[in-house]
Structures are given as C-alpha cells and as structure tokens.
Amino acid sequence: MNQEKIITKLEEIVGKDFASNKEEDLYIYSQDPGASEPRPANYVIMPENVEEVQKIVQLANKEQIPVIPMGGGLTLSGLIIPVKGGIVMDMKRMNKIIEINEFSRYALIEAGVTTGQLLSHLNKQYPNLQPPIPDAPPSATVAGNVLIHGSGYLSQRHGDHGAMINGLEVVLPNGDICKLGSCATSDYWFSRGPIPDFIGMFISSFGIMGIITKLSLKLYPKPKFRDIIFGMLKDPKDLPNLLLSVTKQRFTEDLLLGMQDKPDWMKGYIFIMTYITGDTQEEIDQHTKLLKKIYRKNNARFMNAPDKMHKIYMEKPIFAAGAADYRKGGGFEYVGAFMPLEKIPEAYLKAAEISKKYGIPPTIGSRLMSGTHTIILFVSYSFNRANPKDMENARNALHETNELALELGGIPWKVEFAGQQLVLEKMDPNYKKLLKTLKNTLDPNGIMNPGNWEVK
Ligand SMILES: Cc1cc2nc3c(=O)[nH]c(=O)nc-3n(C[C@H](O)[C@H](O)[C@H](O)COP(=O)(O)OP(=O)(O)OC[C@H]3O[C@@H](n4cnc5c(N)ncnc54)[C@H](O)[C@@H]3O)c2cc1C
C-alpha cells in the first residue's frame, strides 16, 4: 500500500484531524529536547481509545510499518524518535482518570494522563492521597514515566515508579487486548499477583512489547508534616556511610544529592537534601535534631538554607529544569544510571572528569531508591543546540558516562539507542536469548519500536 493509501486508512480509524503525514506535523515528532540527532517519522496518529489503538496495530502489522508509542516525549534520550521510521502514536488524547480507589489506594488511568493532571486531580479531590511523581515537566505522562523505571519523591521509601504499577491494559503487537495483574481476574486493579507476573516485560523495554492503554498506579497517604534538612559534605568517600545511617531512620521520605561547579558558591561540596516527615511538629523537630547529629558524625555539616531556597525545594515535585541549563542555547541531557551505593564516590569523581574533558561544568546528582538498595547517578550535560561542536561534545560525554556506569557495575537508565548497544554487549548471553525469544514470539513482524533493544 502506498503512503497516501496508508494515511487514508489511518484517518478512517481516528478521524482526519488526528492522523498526518505532513512534513510540518512530522517535524516535531522526528526529534526530542535532548542531544539525539533527529530521525524521520513517516506518520503521526493520536488515538482516542483502546479499539483505535488495536486497529492501528492491526494495520501496521498488515503493512509491516513500525509503531512508536509516545507519551510526553520528555525522556531526553531520544526514546520516542523512530529508529527505523514509522508511525509515532501520540497517546495524549487518551487522558481519562477512570477511578481513584481510596481503600486499596490506587489510580486507574488511561495512558495519556499527565503527571500534572493526576497531581492536580488528587490535590483537589483527594487531598489526603499523593501519587508518585517525577521532577519532570508536568506534561510528562504517568505511563511514560512508570514504564521507564522513573523515580520521584516517594522512591526513597517505596522504590522506583515501575514497582508502583498494580496492573496494565496492553495492546500486544498482534493486536490482542490483554489485561495484566489482578484486573485479569477481578474488577479491582489492586495488585500484580499472585498470578505469573508479566508486567516487568513492559517496563524499560521502550514500547517493543506492546502499547499500554490503561494502568493502575499505587497512591500513598500524604504526610501531615514534611520538612527538608540541608547538609554539605566535602569528600564523596563519606557518602555511603552517611546514606546508610540516614536511611536507617524511617522518617526519611526522599533523599537527593547534588554536586555542581555552577553557581560558584556550590563548587567543592556535595549538597544533601533529606526530606523528613512526621505526624506532629514535635516529631519533625526530633527528627531534625537526630538528622543533624547523623550529618555531624559522618563528616557532613548542617546547612541553614535561605528561606527562598527552602521554599523552592519544599515544592514537590521540584521544578528541576530551572537548575539544568547554564548555557546559551538551552539544551541539556543527562545520563541516569542505577548504581550500587559503594561505587558512588568513584562515579562522582570520574563523571566530573568527563565533564571537564568536554568543557562542560560538572552537574552531578543522585536520588536514593528503597533506602539504599539502589542509588541513581545523574550526570547532566548542557549544550547550545545551535553549536554543532557543543552537541558533539555532549553526545560524547553522554556515551562515556554510560560506559563509566557499566564499568562500575551500574546500569544506564532510559538509555538512548547507542547506550542500549553498550548494555547489550555486557549482558548475559542467555538473558539476550530470552529477550529475543520473547520479542520474536510476541512481535513476529517486528513492528513495535524496532531498533530498540534489538538482539542480533
Ligand atoms: C527537567 C527534567 C526533569 C526530569 N526529572 C525526572 C525525575 O525526577 N524522575 C524521572 O523519572 N524522570 C525525570 N525526567 C525524565 C522524563 O521526563 C520522565 O521520566 C517522564 O516522566 C517520561 O515520561 P514521558 O511521557 O515524557 O515519556 P516518553 O518520553 O513519551 O516515553 C518514554 C518511553 O516509554 C514509551 N511509552 C510511552 N508511552 C507508552 C505507552 N502508552 N505504551 C508503551 N510504551 C510507551 C516510549 O516509547 C518511550 O520508550 C526528567 C526530564 C526532564 C526534562
């Protein structure tokens, strides 16, 4: 079928306003805000419901056209830019909040619901409940975030956001609509088990196993009191013991670290932001006292932050983009990597060397997940999009940081196409064989986001 016939078929499924192959519409879908080179998309489509998604997938199978699911398109690592062309499926019209269950504490939503939309809905209608939210712009979708093992202010206590999925509705690559989790046997989307748990197959697989149309996300009670205790540390070697001591205390809700050369006053220190919670102000005061003692014992200093700074950081989510760009031209991308805690001191020092090698001021940070079971390393590189040399430097720095993470026993997170090759090179051969077998079984025509996690 030629391009004109295919666009006509797509328009028949979703209506003329929601499918396009026009250059001016495709421009934005062939790139993202990060450092990846643009790659062309052939069509964009915005379905409104699961039946439309199913019909698009059936057509794509028949015509052997790649399909790339997209939420907010904000991962920065090029994950929604087609590797082999095809139809970008923009999920934003599927934006219904279907149910908030206050007893089993979950939100059942469509895949296009944004993090900002869910947060404001809960704040207005269910002020005692809070969702897991990343520090990403509010137009990021909840699905896009949980499907990449995202993280946010509840991760220190409850783990990454992928672990907070209770159930999924998925359109499989063959067009079957499949329910996973308790919703496979019940009207309640409250749990992943106890039946064989296949949900993990759809997390961090970047849309190669199917298209999520609905999901159930765990919600959590909002604490009565929350505060942030700032600290400063000189030597990264002291970090592991400090973090072990802090997270032994169960009142820590979120713990963030930042080490950066700009603005100048931050240079030479690692800044620690520990969020504590309590039922009363007295409890918060007690926790603060204990935390200051722990900081002192581990060579960190308590920092009395100015009110303005305190206010900015008390906002949840924090508006992270404000801290990200120090360059003319306004671009940045970061390597995130899940790391073992003991490797963090070395990672900080070596990542700073990579930044300096490419003339980019070091901007390094971390967030703890489930106590210290995992710590994310963030290494952010800013660039001027209009300067090709700057872009090349950023790409090289990102690649070297992915290599560093792997060398230190970590795993690059939401890793872009080139980084996926590095991970695959290091992966256990039988893990790769399993991945290939599952992919080929579910998607024999290879239509779902081809190129990603491709095992040769
Ligand atoms: C300033 C800034 C701060 C950030 N801070 C954080 C942070 O604190 N924590 C964090 O976790 N992330 C953060 N991010 C990264 C990213 O923006 C978020 O993780 C975001 O939630 C991703 O959601 P999205 O809707 O943009 O996903 P997209 O980029 O649209 O998609 C992500 C992946 O999921 C796939 N996908 C999307 N929807 C579906 C679907 N329905 N079915 C199947 N596959 C699908 C896509 O193909 C892609 O592979 C930040 C980004 C920026 C720019």
Side-chain angles (χ1 to χ4, degrees), residues 51-325:
E51 290 78 19
E52 290 182 0
V53 174
Q54 183 180 42
K55 283 183 191 155
I56 298 160
V57 170
Q58 284 164 346
L59 176 71
N61 253 306
K62 201 162 152 229
E63 301 300 328
Q64 312 240 329
I65 310 170
V67 180
I68 301 94
M70 171 188 171
L74 282 164
T75 56
L76 301 172
S77 43
L79 293 183
I80 45 72
I81 315 178
V83 178
K84 301 187 177 179
I87 306 168
V88 175
M89 190 183 288
D90 184 334
M91 302 300 288
K92 288 188 205 69
R93 281 178 77 215
M94 293 185 62
N95 61 0
K96 288 188 201 70
I97 297 174
I98 301 163
E99 182 197 350
I100 302 296
N101 185 315
E102 290 180 89
F103 290 98
S104 298
R105 290 196 184 124
Y106 64 79
L108 174 58
I109 58 176
E110 288 188 327
V113 169
T114 65
T115 57
Q117 184 189 350
L118 180 62
L119 184 64
S120 76
H121 180 75
L122 290 171
N123 283 345
K124 277 188 210 134
Q125 311 277 343
Y126 302 89
N128 296 325
L129 286 175
Q130 52 178 348
I133 295 278
D135 293 326
S139 56
T141 60
V142 176
N145 182 250
V146 298
L147 291 175
I148 56 163
H149 283 109
S151 68
Y153 54 83
L154 297 172
S155 295
Q156 199 287 133
R157 256 183 208 162
H158 303 288
D160 70 76
H161 295 164
M164 299 175 186
I165 302 174
N166 279 335
L168 297 176
E169 179 189 80
V170 188
V171 176
L172 295 174
N174 66 358
D176 284 353
I177 300 173
C178 180
K179 283 184 175 166
L180 299 168
S182 61
C183 62
T185 62
S186 155
D187 288 340
Y188 296 92
W189 294 58
F190 67 101
S191 164
R192 274 162 96 131
I195 49 177
D197 182 0
F198 299 126
I199 287 175
M201 225 169 51
F202 297 87
I203 308 176
S204 285
S205 54
F206 308 150
I208 65 165
M209 298 295 191
I211 297 169
I212 302 335
T213 45
K214 283 192 196 95
L215 72 132
S216 162
L217 179 76
K218 288 181 182 162
L219 302 174
Y220 299 88
K222 216 182 250 175
K224 287 203 178 101
F225 290 84
R226 179 189 268 144
D227 204 355
I228 173 173
I229 312 302
F230 291 92
M232 295 159 76
L233 185 72
K234 212 108 186 105
D235 190 342
K237 284 199 194 75
D238 290 320
L239 267 177
N241 283 331
L242 169 71
L243 298 178
L244 282 175
S245 305
V246 173
T247 52
K248 253 192 215 160
Q249 307 304 324
R250 299 178 66 87
F251 52 69
T252 309
E253 186 185 48
D254 190 10
L255 201 153
L256 294 162
L257 303 170
M259 181 178 102
Q260 50 192 69
D261 279 12
K262 295 274 181 181
D264 291 339
W265 61 268
M266 289 185 83
K267 196 170 175 170
Y269 290 95
I270 297 169
F271 288 83
I272 311 150
M273 286 147 272
T274 308
Y275 290 82
I276 57 173
T277 57
D279 282 335
T280 59
Q281 186 55 48
E282 288 75 56
E283 231 176 64
I284 292 280
D285 295 342
Q286 277 169 15
H287 297 163
T288 306
K289 230 165 128 184
L290 182 54
L291 202 55
K292 285 183 183 173
K293 219 164 130 187
I294 294 172
Y295 280 176
R296 263 199 312 275
K297 254 186 138 172
N298 289 280
N299 303 327
R301 280 193 350 231
F302 164 69
M303 183 186 153
N304 211 346
D307 283 352
K308 195 174 156 201
M309 184 170 158
H310 188 266
K311 200 165 159 245
I312 291 173
Y313 280 91
M314 278 301 283
E315 268 176 36
K316 289 285 181 183
I318 307 163
F319 185 54
D325 173 42

